[in-house]
Tab-separated table of all heavy atoms in Angstrom:
chain	number	residue	atom	x	y	z
A	1	VAL	N	-2.299	-4.663	10.738
A	1	VAL	CA	-2.335	-5.457	9.517
A	1	VAL	C	-3.342	-4.752	8.625
A	1	VAL	O	-4.415	-4.367	9.080
A	1	VAL	CB	-2.781	-6.904	9.800
A	1	VAL	CG1	-2.890	-7.686	8.503
A	1	VAL	CG2	-1.829	-7.579	10.758
A	2	TYR	N	-2.994	-4.554	7.370
A	2	TYR	CA	-3.859	-3.767	6.493
A	2	TYR	C	-3.949	-4.387	5.112
A	2	TYR	O	-3.080	-5.166	4.702
A	2	TYR	CB	-3.343	-2.324	6.393
A	2	TYR	CG	-1.961	-2.221	5.802
A	2	TYR	CD1	-1.778	-2.000	4.446
A	2	TYR	CD2	-0.830	-2.361	6.599
A	2	TYR	CE1	-0.517	-1.917	3.895
A	2	TYR	CE2	0.439	-2.280	6.068
A	2	TYR	CZ	0.597	-2.057	4.714
A	2	TYR	OH	1.843	-1.989	4.166
A	3	VAL	N	-5.034	-4.043	4.425
A	3	VAL	CA	-5.247	-4.501	3.059
A	3	VAL	C	-5.548	-3.276	2.204
A	3	VAL	O	-6.421	-2.474	2.542
A	3	VAL	CB	-6.411	-5.512	2.971
A	3	VAL	CG1	-6.632	-5.948	1.530
A	3	VAL	CG2	-6.168	-6.720	3.866
A	4	LEU	N	-4.812	-3.147	1.115
A	4	LEU	CA	-5.028	-2.069	0.156
A	4	LEU	C	-5.682	-2.638	-1.100
A	4	LEU	O	-5.314	-3.723	-1.552
A	4	LEU	CB	-3.695	-1.437	-0.261
A	4	LEU	CG	-2.846	-0.791	0.813
A	4	LEU	CD1	-1.513	-0.361	0.222
A	4	LEU	CD2	-3.566	0.385	1.429
A	5	LEU	N	-6.611	-1.900	-1.651
A	5	LEU	CA	-7.162	-2.223	-2.959
A	5	LEU	C	-6.356	-1.442	-3.984
A	5	LEU	O	-6.183	-0.225	-3.850
A	5	LEU	CB	-8.638	-1.828	-3.038
A	5	LEU	CG	-9.294	-1.978	-4.406
A	5	LEU	CD1	-9.319	-3.449	-4.828
A	5	LEU	CD2	-10.695	-1.389	-4.390
A	6	CYS	N	-5.849	-2.147	-4.979
A	6	CYS	CA	-5.055	-1.488	-6.027
A	6	CYS	C	-5.958	-1.168	-7.219
A	6	CYS	O	-7.032	-1.749	-7.383
A	6	CYS	CB	-3.905	-2.390	-6.454
A	6	CYS	SG	-2.762	-2.746	-5.096
A	7	TYR	N	-5.514	-0.237	-8.064
A	7	TYR	CA	-6.312	0.191	-9.209
A	7	TYR	C	-6.607	-0.933	-10.193
A	7	TYR	O	-7.586	-0.880	-10.924
A	7	TYR	CB	-5.650	1.370	-9.926
A	7	TYR	CG	-5.930	2.688	-9.248
A	7	TYR	CD1	-4.973	3.281	-8.429
A	7	TYR	CD2	-7.148	3.335	-9.410
A	7	TYR	CE1	-5.220	4.490	-7.787
A	7	TYR	CE2	-7.419	4.536	-8.773
A	7	TYR	CZ	-6.447	5.110	-7.966
A	7	TYR	OH	-6.713	6.303	-7.324
A	8	ASP	N	-5.770	-1.969	-10.216
A	8	ASP	CA	-6.027	-3.091	-11.123
A	8	ASP	C	-6.976	-4.124	-10.515
A	8	ASP	O	-7.225	-5.167	-11.108
A	8	ASP	CB	-4.718	-3.750	-11.558
A	8	ASP	CG	-3.962	-4.404	-10.412
A	8	ASP	OD1	-4.413	-4.336	-9.250
A	8	ASP	OD2	-2.887	-4.991	-10.678
A	9	GLY	N	-7.500	-3.842	-9.313
A	9	GLY	CA	-8.445	-4.747	-8.664
A	9	GLY	C	-7.801	-5.758	-7.733
A	9	GLY	O	-8.499	-6.504	-7.057
A	10	SER	N	-6.478	-5.786	-7.692
A	10	SER	CA	-5.785	-6.709	-6.802
A	10	SER	C	-5.720	-6.130	-5.388
A	10	SER	O	-5.986	-4.943	-5.168
A	10	SER	CB	-4.373	-6.996	-7.321
A	10	SER	OG	-3.592	-5.817	-7.303
A	11	PHE	N	-5.357	-6.984	-4.441
A	11	PHE	CA	-5.197	-6.560	-3.054
A	11	PHE	C	-3.744	-6.703	-2.633
A	11	PHE	O	-3.046	-7.616	-3.080
A	11	PHE	CB	-6.057	-7.416	-2.119
A	11	PHE	CG	-7.526	-7.193	-2.261
A	11	PHE	CD1	-8.331	-8.125	-2.893
A	11	PHE	CD2	-8.123	-6.052	-1.750
A	11	PHE	CE1	-9.689	-7.926	-3.015
A	11	PHE	CE2	-9.482	-5.835	-1.874
A	11	PHE	CZ	-10.267	-6.777	-2.510
A	12	TYR	N	-3.295	-5.798	-1.787
A	12	TYR	CA	-1.969	-5.897	-1.168
A	12	TYR	C	-2.179	-5.941	0.341
A	12	TYR	O	-2.924	-5.127	0.893
A	12	TYR	CB	-1.087	-4.692	-1.529
A	12	TYR	CG	0.212	-4.714	-0.771
A	12	TYR	CD1	1.262	-5.515	-1.193
A	12	TYR	CD2	0.369	-3.980	0.402
A	12	TYR	CE1	2.443	-5.577	-0.471
A	12	TYR	CE2	1.553	-4.032	1.122
A	12	TYR	CZ	2.582	-4.839	0.683
A	12	TYR	OH	3.747	-4.909	1.401
A	13	THR	N	-1.522	-6.876	1.011
A	13	THR	CA	-1.621	-7.022	2.460
A	13	THR	C	-0.256	-6.805	3.082
A	13	THR	O	0.751	-7.318	2.584
A	13	THR	CB	-2.131	-8.431	2.822
A	13	THR	OG1	-3.364	-8.658	2.163
A	13	THR	CG2	-2.315	-8.576	4.324
A	14	GLY	N	-0.223	-6.049	4.173
A	14	GLY	CA	1.027	-5.806	4.872
A	14	GLY	C	0.784	-5.542	6.340
A	14	GLY	O	-0.347	-5.563	6.816
A	15	TYR	N	1.873	-5.293	7.063
A	15	TYR	CA	1.762	-4.915	8.470
A	15	TYR	C	2.713	-3.766	8.738
A	15	TYR	O	3.697	-3.574	8.025
A	15	TYR	CB	2.042	-6.107	9.402
A	15	TYR	CG	3.500	-6.431	9.549
A	15	TYR	CD1	4.248	-5.892	10.592
A	15	TYR	CD2	4.139	-7.259	8.645
A	15	TYR	CE1	5.595	-6.164	10.716
A	15	TYR	CE2	5.480	-7.546	8.772
A	15	TYR	CZ	6.207	-7.013	9.813
A	15	TYR	OH	7.541	-7.272	9.932
A	16	THR	N	2.412	-2.987	9.772
A	16	THR	CA	3.218	-1.824	10.107
A	16	THR	C	2.920	-1.372	11.523
A	16	THR	O	1.892	-1.745	12.084
A	16	THR	CB	2.954	-0.657	9.127
A	16	THR	OG1	3.827	0.421	9.409
A	16	THR	CG2	1.507	-0.174	9.214
A	17	LYS	N	3.783	-0.542	12.064
A	17	LYS	CA	3.468	0.055	13.361
A	17	LYS	C	2.942	1.475	13.209
A	17	LYS	O	2.433	2.052	14.152
A	17	LYS	CB	4.658	0.002	14.316
A	17	LYS	CG	5.902	0.677	13.844
A	17	LYS	CD	7.016	0.456	14.853
A	17	LYS	CE	8.320	1.011	14.325
A	17	LYS	NZ	9.396	0.815	15.263
A	18	ASN	N	3.050	2.058	12.005
A	18	ASN	CA	2.510	3.390	11.752
A	18	ASN	C	1.717	3.349	10.442
A	18	ASN	O	2.276	3.491	9.358
A	18	ASN	CB	3.623	4.425	11.676
A	18	ASN	CG	3.092	5.834	11.645
A	18	ASN	OD1	2.027	6.106	11.113
A	18	ASN	ND2	3.854	6.751	12.210
A	19	LEU	N	0.431	3.172	10.563
A	19	LEU	CA	-0.425	2.956	9.397
A	19	LEU	C	-0.448	4.155	8.454
A	19	LEU	O	-0.327	4.004	7.239
A	19	LEU	CB	-1.843	2.606	9.859
A	19	LEU	CG	-2.824	2.146	8.801
A	19	LEU	CD1	-2.300	0.921	8.062
A	19	LEU	CD2	-4.170	1.849	9.432
A	20	GLU	N	-0.586	5.350	8.987
A	20	GLU	CA	-0.667	6.547	8.130
A	20	GLU	C	0.596	6.731	7.289
A	20	GLU	O	0.514	7.000	6.091
A	20	GLU	CB	-0.909	7.783	8.985
A	20	GLU	CG	-2.299	7.871	9.553
A	20	GLU	CD	-2.511	9.145	10.354
A	20	GLU	OE1	-1.869	10.165	10.044
A	20	GLU	OE2	-3.322	9.107	11.293
A	21	VAL	N	1.750	6.586	7.917
A	21	VAL	CA	3.015	6.759	7.194
A	21	VAL	C	3.184	5.668	6.143
A	21	VAL	O	3.592	5.936	5.010
A	21	VAL	CB	4.211	6.767	8.181
A	21	VAL	CG1	5.533	6.686	7.444
A	21	VAL	CG2	4.158	7.998	9.058
A	22	ARG	N	2.836	4.447	6.491
A	22	ARG	CA	3.001	3.333	5.559
A	22	ARG	C	2.101	3.500	4.329
A	22	ARG	O	2.531	3.270	3.198
A	22	ARG	CB	2.686	2.021	6.274
A	22	ARG	CG	3.009	0.809	5.454
A	22	ARG	CD	4.497	0.647	5.306
A	22	ARG	NE	4.764	-0.627	4.654
A	22	ARG	CZ	5.841	-0.879	3.965
A	22	ARG	NH1	6.801	0.018	3.875
A	22	ARG	NH2	6.009	-2.036	3.387
A	23	ILE	N	0.868	3.927	4.538
A	23	ILE	CA	-0.046	4.146	3.414
A	23	ILE	C	0.499	5.245	2.508
A	23	ILE	O	0.479	5.129	1.278
A	23	ILE	CB	-1.466	4.506	3.916
A	23	ILE	CG1	-2.055	3.384	4.757
A	23	ILE	CG2	-2.381	4.854	2.743
A	23	ILE	CD1	-2.127	2.040	4.110
A	24	ARG	N	1.002	6.304	3.112
A	24	ARG	CA	1.585	7.403	2.332
A	24	ARG	C	2.768	6.903	1.491
A	24	ARG	O	2.904	7.268	0.319
A	24	ARG	CB	2.023	8.533	3.260
A	24	ARG	CG	2.277	9.825	2.525
A	24	ARG	CD	2.497	11.040	3.431
A	24	ARG	NE	1.670	11.044	4.634
A	24	ARG	CZ	2.158	11.041	5.885
A	24	ARG	NH1	3.456	11.053	6.097
A	24	ARG	NH2	1.336	11.049	6.925
A	25	LEU	N	3.611	6.058	2.068
A	25	LEU	CA	4.749	5.500	1.323
A	25	LEU	C	4.268	4.666	0.134
A	25	LEU	O	4.836	4.748	-0.958
A	25	LEU	CB	5.633	4.656	2.241
A	25	LEU	CG	6.485	5.422	3.233
A	25	LEU	CD1	7.175	4.463	4.195
A	25	LEU	CD2	7.521	6.274	2.512
A	26	HIS	N	3.230	3.870	0.350
A	26	HIS	CA	2.665	3.085	-0.761
A	26	HIS	C	2.176	4.014	-1.868
A	26	HIS	O	2.426	3.773	-3.052
A	26	HIS	CB	1.513	2.206	-0.284
A	26	HIS	CG	1.940	0.985	0.460
A	26	HIS	ND1	2.725	0.003	-0.092
A	26	HIS	CD2	1.674	0.586	1.723
A	26	HIS	CE1	2.923	-0.951	0.790
A	26	HIS	NE2	2.296	-0.623	1.914
A	27	GLN	N	1.489	5.074	-1.506
A	27	GLN	CA	0.957	6.010	-2.500
A	27	GLN	C	2.068	6.703	-3.278
A	27	GLN	O	1.894	7.058	-4.441
A	27	GLN	CB	0.044	7.032	-1.829
A	27	GLN	CG	-1.235	6.416	-1.318
A	27	GLN	CD	-2.044	7.356	-0.447
A	27	GLN	OE1	-1.516	8.296	0.138
A	27	GLN	NE2	-3.337	7.083	-0.339
A	28	LEU	N	3.211	6.888	-2.636
A	28	LEU	CA	4.356	7.519	-3.300
A	28	LEU	C	5.184	6.526	-4.103
A	28	LEU	O	6.164	6.898	-4.735
A	28	LEU	CB	5.255	8.204	-2.259
A	28	LEU	CG	4.640	9.397	-1.532
A	28	LEU	CD1	5.553	9.845	-0.387
A	28	LEU	CD2	4.385	10.536	-2.496
A	29	GLY	N	4.799	5.234	-4.057
A	29	GLY	CA	5.537	4.209	-4.797
A	29	GLY	C	6.767	3.716	-4.076
A	29	GLY	O	7.632	3.083	-4.672
A	30	ARG	N	6.867	3.978	-2.775
A	30	ARG	CA	8.043	3.580	-2.012
A	30	ARG	C	7.708	2.612	-0.874
A	30	ARG	O	8.545	2.326	-0.042
A	30	ARG	CB	8.727	4.821	-1.428
A	30	ARG	CG	9.211	5.757	-2.503
A	30	ARG	CD	10.015	6.933	-2.019
A	30	ARG	NE	10.069	7.103	-0.592
A	30	ARG	CZ	9.939	8.249	0.051
A	30	ARG	NH1	9.726	9.338	-0.628
A	30	ARG	NH2	10.010	8.323	1.357
A	31	GLY	N	6.467	2.099	-0.847
A	31	GLY	CA	6.041	1.257	0.259
A	31	GLY	C	6.448	-0.196	0.125
A	31	GLY	O	6.825	-0.837	1.084
A	32	ALA	N	6.356	-0.730	-1.080
A	32	ALA	CA	6.689	-2.132	-1.341
A	32	ALA	C	6.857	-2.310	-2.841
A	32	ALA	O	6.319	-1.539	-3.635
A	32	ALA	CB	5.581	-3.038	-0.831
A	33	ARG	N	7.583	-3.326	-3.218
A	33	ARG	CA	7.809	-3.592	-4.634
A	33	ARG	C	6.480	-3.807	-5.368
A	33	ARG	O	6.284	-3.314	-6.479
A	33	ARG	CB	8.701	-4.823	-4.791
A	33	ARG	CG	9.154	-5.047	-6.205
A	33	ARG	CD	10.161	-6.161	-6.310
A	33	ARG	NE	11.317	-5.841	-5.466
A	33	ARG	CZ	12.141	-6.744	-4.947
A	33	ARG	NH1	11.938	-8.016	-5.173
A	33	ARG	NH2	13.158	-6.382	-4.212
A	34	TYR	N	5.555	-4.529	-4.732
A	34	TYR	CA	4.268	-4.815	-5.367
A	34	TYR	C	3.497	-3.542	-5.669
A	34	TYR	O	2.932	-3.390	-6.752
A	34	TYR	CB	3.432	-5.745	-4.480
A	34	TYR	CG	2.159	-6.201	-5.146
A	34	TYR	CD1	2.158	-7.305	-5.990
A	34	TYR	CD2	0.961	-5.525	-4.950
A	34	TYR	CE1	0.998	-7.723	-6.627
A	34	TYR	CE2	-0.200	-5.933	-5.581
A	34	TYR	CZ	-0.177	-7.032	-6.415
A	34	TYR	OH	-1.325	-7.428	-7.048
A	35	THR	N	3.456	-2.626	-4.723
A	35	THR	CA	2.667	-1.405	-4.923
A	35	THR	C	3.362	-0.392	-5.825
A	35	THR	O	2.763	0.622	-6.178
A	35	THR	CB	2.271	-0.756	-3.581
A	35	THR	OG1	3.440	-0.492	-2.810
A	35	THR	CG2	1.306	-1.635	-2.818
A	36	MET	N	4.609	-0.663	-6.207
A	36	MET	CA	5.252	0.192	-7.211
A	36	MET	C	4.617	-0.045	-8.575
A	36	MET	O	4.440	0.877	-9.355
A	36	MET	CB	6.750	-0.112	-7.292
A	36	MET	CG	7.561	0.432	-6.167
A	36	MET	SD	9.293	0.057	-6.478
A	36	MET	CE	9.933	0.197	-4.834
A	37	SER	N	4.263	-1.311	-8.841
A	37	SER	CA	3.698	-1.642	-10.146
A	37	SER	C	2.179	-1.817	-10.112
A	37	SER	O	1.546	-1.895	-11.154
A	37	SER	CB	4.345	-2.911	-10.694
A	37	SER	OG	4.149	-3.985	-9.805
A	38	HIS	N	1.605	-1.906	-8.923
A	38	HIS	CA	0.158	-2.014	-8.741
A	38	HIS	C	-0.268	-0.861	-7.837
A	38	HIS	O	-0.354	-1.013	-6.626
A	38	HIS	CB	-0.226	-3.353	-8.102
A	38	HIS	CG	0.178	-4.541	-8.898
A	38	HIS	ND1	1.439	-5.076	-8.838
A	38	HIS	CD2	-0.518	-5.290	-9.785
A	38	HIS	CE1	1.511	-6.107	-9.648
A	38	HIS	NE2	0.335	-6.262	-10.233
A	39	LYS	N	-0.500	0.278	-8.434
A	39	LYS	CA	-0.782	1.512	-7.689
A	39	LYS	C	-1.954	1.322	-6.713
A	39	LYS	O	-3.041	0.914	-7.116
A	39	LYS	CB	-1.098	2.630	-8.677
A	39	LYS	CG	-1.274	3.978	-8.063
A	39	LYS	CD	0.036	4.666	-7.892
A	39	LYS	CE	-0.232	6.105	-7.478
A	39	LYS	NZ	0.753	6.610	-6.596
A	40	PRO	N	-1.743	1.609	-5.428
A	40	PRO	CA	-2.826	1.458	-4.463
A	40	PRO	C	-3.905	2.532	-4.629
A	40	PRO	O	-3.593	3.702	-4.830
A	40	PRO	CB	-2.135	1.582	-3.103
A	40	PRO	CG	-0.877	2.319	-3.375
A	40	PRO	CD	-0.498	2.032	-4.786
A	41	GLN	N	-5.139	2.089	-4.558
A	41	GLN	CA	-6.273	2.998	-4.693
A	41	GLN	C	-6.742	3.478	-3.331
A	41	GLN	O	-6.906	4.670	-3.116
A	41	GLN	CB	-7.414	2.280	-5.416
A	41	GLN	CG	-8.626	3.129	-5.659
A	41	GLN	CD	-9.703	2.350	-6.412
A	41	GLN	OE1	-9.582	1.159	-6.647
A	41	GLN	NE2	-10.749	3.031	-6.780
A	42	LYS	N	-6.954	2.519	-2.398
A	42	LYS	CA	-7.424	2.921	-1.073
A	42	LYS	C	-7.212	1.804	-0.058
A	42	LYS	O	-7.092	0.634	-0.411
A	42	LYS	CB	-8.894	3.310	-1.105
A	42	LYS	CG	-9.833	2.185	-1.492
A	42	LYS	CD	-11.274	2.663	-1.522
A	42	LYS	CE	-12.194	1.552	-2.009
A	42	LYS	NZ	-13.589	1.957	-1.984
A	43	LEU	N	-7.205	2.192	1.186
A	43	LEU	CA	-7.160	1.263	2.309
A	43	LEU	C	-8.568	0.706	2.478
A	43	LEU	O	-9.524	1.466	2.609
A	43	LEU	CB	-6.726	1.998	3.576
A	43	LEU	CG	-6.743	1.208	4.876
A	43	LEU	CD1	-5.665	0.129	4.856
A	43	LEU	CD2	-6.528	2.142	6.065
């Protein structure tokens, strides 16, 4: 279970079985609908 801080100051919470791959997908804009419009800054 992970929490990302987005550039707009919001948080995104999700779960995964492969954390590194999932974070990379979020950074590429393909991880979740929310992180497409709220760019993730860091885990």
Side-chain angles (χ1 to χ4, degrees):
V1 177
Y2 62 94
V3 179
L4 299 174
L5 174 64
C6 298
Y7 279 101
D8 65 358
S10 64
F11 291 106
Y12 174 80
T13 304
Y15 77 93
T16 185
K17 58 184 174 180
N18 190 327
L19 189 57
E20 288 182 29
V21 169
R22 188 70 173 155
I23 299 304
R24 196 171 323 120
L25 287 173
H26 284 299
Q27 291 170 337
L28 294 171
R30 298 186 352 224
R33 189 173 302 155
Y34 186 85
T35 56
M36 284 183 201
S37 59
H38 300 83
K39 186 85 171 146
Q41 182 179 6
K42 63 181 176 177
L43 175 68

